[in-house]
């Protein structure tokens, strides 16, 4: 062991090494060296009896009358750092640094780099706690900075005059004030946030003022949602034999056969890829950022060789990368499915096997921050939903030195976004002084509770009183389900069953819906030369079969009359079984009619795009389509993309309105998501090709499609 005697050492930094030398063979030099750094604080030499430490004729360190704060002066020369080391009082949580220029003898404003380091022990990254600012000196103007500190440790305050923009030396006076609300844990950066559990309506904490009177002006809000994912896939394999090799140590090289290469002596590295899946819901974009918290901010002490993650959309387009240190910027994501692929490397396969369940965290930004009210009374915090009892949240106040104040943080009373799932963690911060947010903020977590049950006694009553299907209805539905399985396997047998069911129930709407699905999805017979013409013919047969003029179940005029009026409200439907049955039948007919018209117009557009003789058919199909179908009445983005392409083709082919077609397609790209957007891009390329001088726009779009819809998946 090495013991140090620091008595008599002046303030500042002192460095030395203890060298170990073989006494029997001193010519070998040092066997090893122990570096030793000793920091003697300047405040060690000041006290209430002797409050002033004079460093030279123009620099000093003074302990103020309260025995707590420090005043010091700096004489700065260009490019030379000037350091002060100050002992932080026990219990202090943050320091306020006030700087002001002295004796400015130049018209320019000298610029000074301010660097405050409150703690250097442990494994905490310096970026988490240090203060680094550029200070422009102005005569008579005081600048104020705040930095978190740890009681009992040493705070270094270093100032350096920038040499490039400062023609002469500068003089600065600094006041350092120490503050505390005695509310944080004793560690400088703590992973112990304020937590409001799903069952508890509030969290409790207390603020005290052991050092001086403090201003309490608190607020709390939640700004993001953290969702934890488990891997849905994992794969481990060896890396490349010539590249992914951990080099051998010098001892291994010296002890081995000299003819062996370093690659042969090294350790082969294994790779593990974990796949995480999540979805974005809602019509608005949400900013998302993946991370691996258990492995984050670790380099030299990391348990693995390396890590890298990639965020991909459903088209395999890589939207963002991230690694072990700095957080990636959040990415705005539309509604859809996304995948995070994590690459982890290690020389030991067993280590990777035990890390197969490493969780991934997705941080989702809330569109609007949720406010958590603060109270100083327990009964108010435990019933945050009450508002009419004269309560008022905790306001701004001055806490006298030595006083204490209980603070209760209640859960947000606003409704959580619909996409927040039970178990998600809502994250925000409690700020104790809004004017000093950077040093008085604490993390707040709220565990999303199960969603409240929406009481609908009428619906439950209706479900309990609803008559069960008859045996004939159950058998007929089973036959339709069996036909759906034969759709792509046996077209001949499918047609036989369809003929039988048409005879059994010629006016069945579910049967017509199944026949429409067959026309759109079944394999094209080998005897047919054109897929579009065959499918268009089959859809037309279904469309004609559903008309009441052909003994079909749908009377378009009656359907239009029914929905042209206001629908009966829920109470009227519950009271009248016949009206309820009619409403259900009408909605089924309208749904299958819309689906048929949409498919009919889409196939007509495909034909008209290739054959000018089919243009009239497209115009007729779109005219019928517009009577029944709009974007608002379609549920899936796939159907909305199909409608946008139909309307764009109608504008381009039938009306010769190319600009209108571009407008429709660009709006679809902005509002919708999914793999079907590639069809929108393909259609845009066609339209751009019809404009004079816009070939380059189409070429640029084609290049962008290679990135948005990659043919070869890159991954990590």
């Amino acid at each position: 062991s090495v013991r140090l005697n620091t008595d008599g050492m002046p303030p500042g930094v002192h460095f030395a090494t203890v060298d170990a030398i073989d006494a029997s063979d001193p010519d070998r030099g040092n066997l090893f060296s122990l570096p030793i750094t000793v920091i003697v604080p300047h405040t060690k030499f000041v006290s209430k009896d002797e409050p002033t430490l004079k460093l030279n004729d123009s620099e000093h360190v003074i302990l103020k009358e309260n025995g707590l704060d420090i005043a010091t002066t700096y004489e700065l020369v260009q490019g030379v750092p000037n350091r002060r080391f100050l002992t932080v009082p026990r219990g202090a949580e943050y320091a306020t640094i006030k700087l002001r220029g002295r004796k400015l003898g130049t018209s320019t404003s000298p610029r000074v780099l301010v660097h405050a380091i409150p703690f250097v022990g442990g494994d905490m990254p310096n970026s988490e706690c240090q203060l680094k600012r550029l200070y422009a000196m102005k005569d008579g103007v005081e600048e104020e900075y705040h930095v978190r500190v740890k009681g009992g440790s040493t705070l270094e305050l270093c100032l350096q005059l920038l040499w490039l923009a400062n023609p002469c030396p500068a003089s600065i006076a600094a006041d350092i004030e120490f503050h505390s609300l005695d509310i944080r844990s004793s560690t400088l950066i703590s992973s112990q946030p304020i937590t409001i559990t799903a069952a508890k309506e509030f969290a409790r904490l207390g603020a005290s003022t052991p050092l001086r009177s403090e201003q309490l002006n608190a607020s709390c809000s939640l700004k993001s949602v953290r969702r934890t994912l488990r891997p849905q896939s994992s794969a481990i394999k060896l890396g490349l034999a010539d590249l992914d090799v951990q080099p051998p140590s010098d001892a291994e090289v010296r002890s081995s056969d000299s003819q062996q290469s370093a690659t042969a002596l090294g350790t082969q590295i294994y790779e593990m890829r974990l796949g995480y899946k999540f979805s974005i819901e809602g019509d608005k974009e949400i900013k998302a950022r993946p991370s691996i918290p258990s492995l984050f901010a670790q380099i030299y002490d990391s348990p693995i060789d390396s890590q890298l993650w990639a965020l991909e959309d459903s088209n395999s387009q890589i939207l963002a990368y991230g690694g072990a240190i700095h957080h990636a910027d959040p990415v705005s994501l539309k509604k859809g499915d996304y995948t995070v692929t994590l690459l982890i490397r290690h020389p030991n396969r067993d280590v990777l096997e035990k890390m197969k369940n490493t969780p991934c965290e997705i941080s989702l930004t809330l569109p609007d921050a949720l406010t958590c009210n603060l109270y100083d009374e327990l009964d108010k915090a435990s019933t945050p939903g009450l508002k009419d009892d004269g309560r008022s949240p905790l306001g701004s106040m001055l806490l006298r030195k030595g006083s204490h104040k209980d603070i209760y943080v209640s859960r947000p009373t606003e409704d959580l976004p619909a996409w927040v799932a039970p178990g998600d963690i809502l994250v925000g911060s409690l700020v104790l002084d809004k004017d000093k947010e950077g040093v008085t903020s604490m993390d707040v977590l709220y565990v999303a509770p199960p969603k409240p049950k929406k009481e609908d006694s009428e619906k439950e009553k209706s479900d309990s009183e609803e008559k069960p299907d008859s045996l004939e209805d159950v058998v007929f539905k089973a036959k339709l389900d069996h036909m759906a399985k034969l759709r792509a396997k046996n077209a001949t047998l499918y047609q036989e069953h369809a003929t039988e069911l048409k005879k059994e129930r010629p006016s069945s709407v579910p049967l017509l819906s199944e026949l429409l699905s067959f026309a759109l999805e079944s394999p094209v017979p080998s005897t047919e030369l054109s897929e579009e013409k065959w499918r268009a013919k089959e859809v037309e047969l279904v469309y004609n079969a559903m008309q009441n003029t052909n003994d079909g179940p749908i009377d378009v005029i009656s359907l239009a009359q029914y929905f042209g009026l206001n629908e009966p409200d829920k109470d009227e439907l519950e009271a009248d079984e016949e009206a309820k049955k009619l409403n259900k039948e009408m909605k089924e007919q309208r749904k299958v009619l819309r689906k048929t018209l949409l498919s009919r117009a889409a196939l007509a557009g495909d034909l008209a795009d290739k054959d000018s003789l089919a243009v009239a058919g497209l115009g007729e199909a779109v005219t019928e389509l517009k009577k029944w179908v709009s974007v608002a009445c379609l549920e899936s983005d796939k159907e909305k993309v199909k409608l946008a392409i139909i309307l764009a083709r109608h504008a381009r082919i039938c009306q010769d309105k190319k600009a209108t077609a571009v407008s429709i397609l660009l709006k679809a790209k902005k509002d919708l998501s999914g793999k079907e957007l590639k069809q929108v891009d393909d259609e845009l390329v066609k339209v751009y090709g019809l404009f004079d001088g816009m070939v380059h726009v189409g070429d640029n779009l084609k290049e962008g499609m290679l990135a948005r819809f990659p043919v070869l998946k890159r991954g990590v």
Side-chain angles (χ1 to χ4, degrees):
S1 63
V2 178
R3 295 187 178 182
L4 302 176
N5 183 4
T6 61
D7 292 341
M9 299 181 70
V13 180
H14 307 273
F15 176 78
T17 60
V18 177
D19 299 330
I21 300 174
D22 188 349
S24 61
D25 187 7
D27 293 337
R28 291 178 60 185
N30 296 343
L31 299 179
F32 62 87
S33 296
L34 296 177
I36 298 174
T37 301
V38 175
I39 296 178
V40 180
H42 292 78
T43 50
K44 178 182 178 181
F45 301 92
V46 296
S47 63
K48 288 187 176 181
D49 296 332
E50 297 183 8
T52 302
L53 170 64
K54 189 173 182 180
L55 302 178
N56 50 51
D57 292 339
S58 55
E59 293 183 316
H60 57 263
V61 177
I62 300 176
L63 178 65
K64 293 190 175 182
E65 293 182 359
N66 60 7
L68 183 68
D69 302 333
I70 301 295
T72 183
T73 56
Y74 290 82
E75 294 296 328
L76 302 179
V77 180
Q78 297 91 327
V80 179
N82 198 335
R83 310 167 79 178
R84 300 286 185 274
F85 297 94
L86 313 173
T87 301
V88 178
R90 293 287 179 182
E93 293 181 335
Y94 69 95
T96 298
I97 302 170
K98 299 178 180 179
L99 302 178
R100 58 188 179 278
R102 303 191 309 158
K103 300 178 295 184
L104 291 180
T106 176
S107 59
T108 61
S109 297
R111 293 194 294 173
V112 178
L113 181 63
V114 181
H115 193 189
I117 304 175
F119 189 66
V120 294
D123 58 359
M124 180 175 54
N126 59 21
S127 59
E128 294 287 334
C129 61
Q130 70 178 357
L131 169 74
K132 189 178 286 187
R133 297 288 187 273
L134 190 62
Y135 164 52
M137 293 175 56
K138 297 178 181 178
D139 195 11
V141 178
E142 183 178 82
E143 288 289 339
E144 189 173 291
Y145 304 96
H146 308 282
V147 61
R148 292 191 176 190
V149 296
K150 183 178 184 297
S153 64
T154 299
L155 168 66
E156 177 186 354
L157 179 59
C158 178
L159 305 184
Q160 177 176 318
L161 185 65
L162 300 186
W163 63 270
L164 188 61
N166 299 289
C168 59
S171 179
I172 291 180
D175 291 331
I176 298 92
E177 299 177 355
F178 295 100
H179 300 261
S180 175
L181 285 165
D182 198 23
I183 202 169
R184 292 205 315 259
S185 63
S186 57
T187 57
L188 190 59
I189 302 295
S190 173
S191 59
Q192 302 170 358
I194 302 167
T195 303
I196 306 174
T197 61
K200 202 169 186 178
E201 300 279 78
F202 65 93
R204 178 178 180 172
L205 61 155
S208 303
T209 51
L211 302 181
R212 63 189 337 127
S213 298
E214 302 285 358
Q215 186 70 30
L216 182 63
N217 185 17
S219 65
C220 182
S221 61
L222 305 175
K223 299 179 181 179
S224 63
V225 176
R226 292 177 184 171
R227 180 170 298 170
T228 302
L229 309 176
R230 286 289 190 184
Q232 296 192 5
S233 63
S234 64
I236 301 176
K237 68 174 185 177
L238 276 171
L240 298 177
D242 54 342
L243 295 179
D244 299 322
V245 177
Q246 181 175 321
S249 65
D250 294 341
E252 289 175 322
V253 174
R254 285 195 299 267
S255 62
S256 65
D257 185 354
S258 59
Q259 295 181 354
Q260 286 185 287
S261 64
T263 302
L265 290 172
T267 304
Q268 187 72 44
I269 295 177
Y270 289 87
E271 298 179 345
M272 179 171 68
R273 287 173 173 82
L274 302 177
Y276 308 83
K277 296 184 181 297
F278 69 99
S279 299
I280 296 295
E281 301 174 1
D283 297 330
K284 296 182 179 179
E285 291 185 352
I286 299 177
K287 289 187 176 181
R289 185 194 65 205
S291 65
I292 313 297
S294 60
L295 302 175
F296 191 69
Q298 299 182 59
I299 297 183
Y300 306 113
D301 51 356
S302 175
I304 58 176
D305 176 78
S306 60
Q307 61 171 299
L308 178 68
W309 58 258
L311 172 63
E312 305 175 17
D313 62 12
S314 57
N315 302 315
S316 298
Q317 179 189 3
I318 295 182
L319 305 175
Y321 286 101
I325 293 298
H326 305 290
H327 274 304
D329 293 331
V331 182
S332 295
L333 302 180
K334 294 182 179 180
K335 177 181 178 181
D337 299 325
Y338 297 88
T339 302
V340 176
T341 303
L342 172 64
L343 170 63
I344 300 177
R345 293 155 49 95
H346 197 277
N348 191 336
R349 182 186 178 98
D350 291 338
V351 173
L352 296 180
E353 287 283 355
K354 294 175 182 178
M355 297 181 68
K356 278 188 173 181
N357 291 319
T358 301
C360 172
E361 183 179 87
I362 307 296
S363 178
L364 305 169
T365 304
L366 290 170
D368 298 302
L370 301 176
T371 301
C372 297
N373 288 328
L374 305 176
Y375 298 97
D376 56 0
E377 296 179 358
L378 176 59
D379 62 322
K380 303 294 189 297
S382 61
T383 55
L386 298 180
K387 298 181 179 179
D388 301 328
D389 57 352
R391 66 177 61 195
S392 59
L394 183 67
S396 177
M397 64 180 65
L398 179 68
L399 293 183
R400 298 292 181 183
K401 180 180 178 180
S403 62
H404 176 84
K405 187 70 175 178
D406 286 330
I407 301 175
Y408 299 90
V409 185
S410 66
R411 64 162 177 83
T413 56
E414 304 168 69
D415 291 337
L416 303 183
W419 50 266
V420 175
D424 285 350
I425 307 295
L426 284 82
V427 183
S429 61
L430 167 65
V431 180
L432 300 172
D433 188 346
K434 298 176 185 177
D435 297 330
K436 303 172 183 177
E437 181 175 351
V439 291
T440 64
S441 63
M442 303 175 65
D443 289 339
V444 175
L445 306 183
Y446 173 48
V447 183
K451 295 186 177 181
K453 181 181 178 182
K454 295 183 179 180
E455 297 182 2
D456 194 345
S457 57
E458 293 294 332
K459 183 178 185 302
E460 293 177 0
K461 180 180 178 182
S462 172
D463 293 341
S464 61
E465 295 178 355
E466 189 173 349
K467 295 181 180 179
D469 293 334
S470 64
L471 178 61
E472 291 78 5
D473 292 337
V474 173
V475 172
F476 188 80
K477 184 179 179 181
K479 290 180 180 179
L480 288 178
D481 294 339
H482 179 66
M483 283 179 61
K485 297 177 182 179
L486 295 175
R487 223 182 273 160
K489 296 180 180 179
N490 193 331
T492 303
L493 186 58
Y494 184 96
Q495 293 289 5
E496 292 177 1
H497 288 320
T499 303
E500 294 176 4
L501 294 184
K502 286 179 184 177
K503 293 179 181 178
E504 182 179 343
R505 294 192 180 183
S507 59
S508 170
V509 174
L511 176 59
L512 289 172
S513 179
E514 173 57 37
L515 293 176
L516 178 62
S517 298
F518 175 78
L520 297 174
E521 301 173 10
S522 65
V524 180
S526 57
T527 56
E528 296 293 335
L529 300 177
S530 172
E531 179 180 352
E532 289 83 0
K533 289 184 178 181
W534 180 81
R535 294 196 187 279
K537 181 183 69 175
E538 292 294 320
V539 171
E540 195 68 26
L541 290 175
V542 175
Y543 178 67
N544 292 331
M546 67 175 56
Q547 305 293 330
N548 69 325
T549 54
N550 297 323
D551 298 327
I554 298 179
D555 185 348
V556 178
I557 297 177
S558 299
L559 199 63
Q561 290 175 345
Y562 182 84
F563 287 106
L565 303 174
N566 291 329
E567 291 187 50
D569 58 33
K570 185 169 63 174
D571 293 336
E572 292 175 344
L573 293 177
E574 293 297 336
D576 190 343
E577 280 295 326
E578 291 297 327
K580 182 178 178 181
K581 182 179 179 181
L582 178 62
N583 182 264
K584 181 179 179 181
E585 291 177 353
M586 287 295 185
K587 287 184 176 179
E588 287 180 352
Q589 292 180 17
R590 182 177 63 176
K591 182 177 180 180
V592 72
L593 178 62
R594 284 173 171 172
K595 185 178 179 181
T596 304
L597 291 173
L598 190 65
S599 302
R600 182 169 175 257
L603 291 168
D606 292 339
L607 292 175
D609 199 27
K610 298 177 181 179
D611 187 358
S612 59
L613 298 178
V615 172
L618 173 61
E620 178 189 348
V622 171
T623 300
E624 287 295 318
L625 176 72
K626 289 181 177 180
K627 296 177 182 178
W628 291 97
V629 182
S630 64
V631 175
C633 70
L634 298 176
E635 298 178 356
S636 68
D637 281 4
K638 183 177 180 179
E639 292 178 329
K640 293 177 182 179
V641 167
K642 183 183 287 188
L643 177 62
I645 293 175
I646 291 170
L647 297 179
R649 284 180 174 174
H650 180 257
R652 170 173 62 90
I653 298 173
C654 299
Q655 300 175 329
D656 195 26
K657 295 181 179 180
K658 299 185 286 291
T660 302
V662 171
S663 174
I664 294 171
L665 295 171
L666 291 179
K667 188 176 188 308
K669 283 190 65 175
K670 178 182 177 182
D671 298 341
L672 307 177
S673 61
K675 296 182 178 180
E676 292 75 20
L677 286 182
K678 187 175 186 299
Q679 303 172 26
V680 176
D681 282 345
D682 290 334
E683 191 67 23
L684 269 172
V685 171
K686 292 181 182 178
V687 181
Y688 287 147
L690 300 176
F691 286 95
D692 293 334
M694 292 190 67
V695 177
H696 65 288
V697 180
D699 292 341
N700 183 61
L701 182 58
K702 289 180 183 178
E703 293 179 5
M705 290 171 63
L706 296 176
R708 290 190 298 275
F709 308 97
V711 178
L712 179 64
K713 184 177 179 180
R714 293 179 293 169
V716 292

